[in-house]
CSV table of all heavy atoms in Angstrom, one decimal:
chain,number,residue,atom,x,y,z
A,288,MET,N,-5.7,12.2,51.6
A,288,MET,CA,-6.1,13.3,50.7
A,288,MET,C,-7.5,13.8,50.9
A,288,MET,O,-7.8,15.0,50.7
A,288,MET,CB,-5.7,13.0,49.3
A,288,MET,CG,-4.3,13.0,49.0
A,288,MET,SD,-3.9,12.7,47.2
A,288,MET,CE,-2.2,13.0,47.2
A,289,LEU,N,-8.4,12.8,51.2
A,289,LEU,CA,-9.8,13.2,51.4
A,289,LEU,C,-9.9,13.8,52.8
A,289,LEU,O,-9.7,13.1,53.8
A,289,LEU,CB,-10.7,12.0,51.2
A,289,LEU,CG,-11.2,11.7,49.8
A,289,LEU,CD1,-12.2,10.6,49.8
A,289,LEU,CD2,-11.8,12.8,49.1
A,290,LYS,N,-10.4,15.0,52.9
A,290,LYS,CA,-10.5,15.6,54.2
A,290,LYS,C,-11.7,15.1,55.0
A,290,LYS,O,-11.7,15.1,56.2
A,290,LYS,CB,-10.7,17.2,54.0
A,290,LYS,CG,-9.6,17.8,53.2
A,290,LYS,CD,-8.2,17.6,53.9
A,290,LYS,CE,-7.1,18.3,53.1
A,290,LYS,NZ,-5.8,17.9,53.6
A,291,ARG,N,-12.7,14.6,54.3
A,291,ARG,CA,-13.9,14.2,55.0
A,291,ARG,C,-13.9,12.7,55.4
A,291,ARG,O,-14.7,12.3,56.3
A,291,ARG,CB,-15.2,14.3,54.1
A,291,ARG,CG,-15.1,13.6,52.8
A,291,ARG,CD,-16.3,13.9,51.9
A,291,ARG,NE,-16.2,13.4,50.5
A,291,ARG,CZ,-16.6,12.2,50.0
A,291,ARG,NH1,-17.1,11.4,50.9
A,291,ARG,NH2,-16.4,11.9,48.8
A,292,GLU,N,-12.9,12.0,54.9
A,292,GLU,CA,-12.9,10.6,55.4
A,292,GLU,C,-11.5,10.0,55.0
A,292,GLU,O,-10.7,10.6,54.2
A,292,GLU,CB,-13.9,9.7,54.7
A,292,GLU,CG,-13.9,9.7,53.2
A,292,GLU,CD,-15.0,8.9,52.5
A,292,GLU,OE1,-15.1,7.7,52.9
A,292,GLU,OE2,-15.6,9.4,51.7
A,293,TYR,N,-11.1,8.9,55.7
A,293,TYR,CA,-9.8,8.3,55.4
A,293,TYR,C,-10.1,7.0,54.7
A,293,TYR,O,-11.0,6.2,55.1
A,293,TYR,CB,-9.2,7.9,56.8
A,293,TYR,CG,-7.8,7.2,56.6
A,293,TYR,CD1,-6.6,8.0,56.5
A,293,TYR,CD2,-7.7,5.8,56.5
A,293,TYR,CE1,-5.4,7.4,56.3
A,293,TYR,CE2,-6.5,5.2,56.4
A,293,TYR,CZ,-5.4,6.0,56.3
A,293,TYR,OH,-4.1,5.4,56.1
A,294,VAL,N,-9.5,6.8,53.6
A,294,VAL,CA,-9.7,5.6,52.8
A,294,VAL,C,-8.4,4.9,52.5
A,294,VAL,O,-7.3,5.5,52.5
A,294,VAL,CB,-10.4,5.9,51.5
A,294,VAL,CG1,-11.8,6.5,51.7
A,294,VAL,CG2,-9.6,6.8,50.6
A,295,SER,N,-8.4,3.7,52.1
A,295,SER,CA,-7.2,3.0,51.7
A,295,SER,C,-6.6,3.5,50.4
A,295,SER,O,-7.4,4.1,49.6
A,295,SER,CB,-7.5,1.5,51.6
A,295,SER,OG,-8.2,1.2,50.4
A,296,THR,N,-5.4,3.3,50.2
A,296,THR,CA,-4.7,3.8,49.0
A,296,THR,C,-5.4,3.2,47.7
A,296,THR,O,-5.7,4.0,46.8
A,296,THR,CB,-3.2,3.5,49.0
A,296,THR,OG1,-2.7,4.2,50.2
A,296,THR,CG2,-2.6,4.1,47.8
A,297,PRO,N,-5.6,1.9,47.6
A,297,PRO,CA,-6.2,1.4,46.4
A,297,PRO,C,-7.6,1.9,46.2
A,297,PRO,O,-8.1,2.1,45.1
A,297,PRO,CB,-6.2,-0.1,46.6
A,297,PRO,CG,-5.9,-0.4,48.0
A,297,PRO,CD,-5.1,0.8,48.5
A,298,GLU,N,-8.4,2.1,47.3
A,298,GLU,CA,-9.7,2.7,47.2
A,298,GLU,C,-9.6,4.1,46.6
A,298,GLU,O,-10.4,4.5,45.8
A,298,GLU,CB,-10.4,2.7,48.5
A,298,GLU,CG,-11.8,3.3,48.5
A,298,GLU,CD,-12.6,3.3,49.8
A,298,GLU,OE1,-12.2,2.4,50.6
A,298,GLU,OE2,-13.4,4.1,50.0
A,299,MET,N,-8.7,4.9,47.2
A,299,MET,CA,-8.5,6.3,46.7
A,299,MET,C,-8.2,6.3,45.2
A,299,MET,O,-8.7,7.1,44.4
A,299,MET,CB,-7.4,7.0,47.5
A,299,MET,CG,-7.1,8.3,46.9
A,299,MET,SD,-8.4,9.5,47.1
A,299,MET,CE,-8.1,10.1,48.8
A,300,ALA,N,-7.3,5.4,44.8
A,300,ALA,CA,-6.9,5.3,43.4
A,300,ALA,C,-8.0,5.0,42.5
A,300,ALA,O,-8.2,5.7,41.5
A,300,ALA,CB,-5.8,4.3,43.3
A,301,LEU,N,-8.9,4.0,42.9
A,301,LEU,CA,-10.0,3.6,42.0
A,301,LEU,C,-11.1,4.7,42.0
A,301,LEU,O,-11.7,5.0,41.0
A,301,LEU,CB,-10.6,2.3,42.5
A,301,LEU,CG,-11.7,1.7,41.6
A,301,LEU,CD1,-11.2,1.5,40.2
A,301,LEU,CD2,-12.1,0.3,42.2
Side-chain angles (χ1 to χ4, degrees):
M288 284 182 171
L289 275 185
K290 304 302 181 185
R291 58 183 166 91
E292 59 183 307
Y293 181 90
V294 300
S295 70
T296 301
E298 178 179 335
M299 173 66 83
L301 188 55

